[in-house]
Amino acid sequence: MTPPRAITIRLAEPRDAQAIGMMSRDFVEAGLGWKYDAARVLRAIRDRETLAVVACESGKSGTSRGALTGFAIMEVGDERAHLVLLAVLELRAGNDAARRFYRAMGFYETVLVPGYYRSGEGRKEGALRMLRVLRAPGPVPYTWRPPRTEDT
């Protein structure tokens, strides 16, 4: 059995903007038109009212500077928060418990990446990339209304 890689969640840094933008283009915005390019992501990282975090593999020295495996960007206000983007990409193909969990949460398997995970013994295992559609295709109906005050 291959030991799992250590994943660290940390605040996004300006140097992460390009990788986040590319992941957004390829895994979140595919087929929708690319809006969250590196420049827009960088503005989000630097915005004091936005929280941007990344999940990354631990590097060889145990630092959290390895490859990005996911990210989240959230705009935070006084009373509300808006999750702008979220990407969690893959799991080991042989991890049946994780596959069952993702399927139960409405995800489906999209791509098998052969040899993505490598063990210390030189064995390789594929990664499954998962996807869940969060909204129906087409225009989003405008249903939100501002809260009523006692004066109205």
Side-chain angles (χ1 to χ4, degrees):
M1 177 177 222
T2 304
R5 294 177 300 175
I7 301 293
T8 301
I9 297 176
R10 63 171 170 79
L11 291 174
E13 300 171 355
R15 66 185 186 86
D16 298 319
Q18 182 67 30
I20 293 171
M22 300 302 280
M23 289 172 69
S24 180
R25 181 193 69 190
D26 296 343
F27 303 116
V28 178
E29 300 180 83
L32 300 174
W34 187 25
K35 290 174 34 179
Y36 286 89
D37 60 9
R40 187 169 185 180
V41 170
L42 182 59
R43 286 192 303 274
I45 290 170
R46 291 181 171 159
D47 184 348
R48 297 183 77 123
E49 295 182 359
T50 301
L51 175 64
V53 296
V54 293
C56 53
E57 298 174 3
S58 295
K60 290 182 181 179
S61 63
T63 65
S64 61
R65 302 292 182 233
L68 297 187
T69 59
F71 68 88
I73 298 175
M74 179 177 286
E75 295 171 350
V76 181
D78 289 335
E79 296 180 19
R80 300 178 194 267
H82 174 72
L83 182 60
V84 177
L85 291 173
L86 173 67
V88 180
L89 299 178
E90 77 266 334
L91 58 110
R92 290 181 183 275
N95 188 338
D96 292 331
R99 288 171 83 172
R100 284 191 303 273
F101 171 78
Y102 275 104
R103 286 182 189 142
M105 296 294 111
F107 286 79
Y108 61 93
E109 298 164 6
T110 60
V111 176
L112 173 63
V113 182
Y116 184 82
Y117 295 103
R118 289 180 179 79
S119 72
E121 299 86 43
R123 291 183 310 213
K124 297 180 181 180
E125 183 177 356
L128 283 173
R129 294 217 169 127
M130 308 297 287
L131 177 70
R132 179 175 178 202
V133 177
L134 298 178
R135 68 173 173 85
V140 177
Y142 183 73
T143 57
W144 183 84
R145 300 280 187 254
R148 294 183 64 136
T149 63
E150 293 179 34
D151 297 332
T152 57

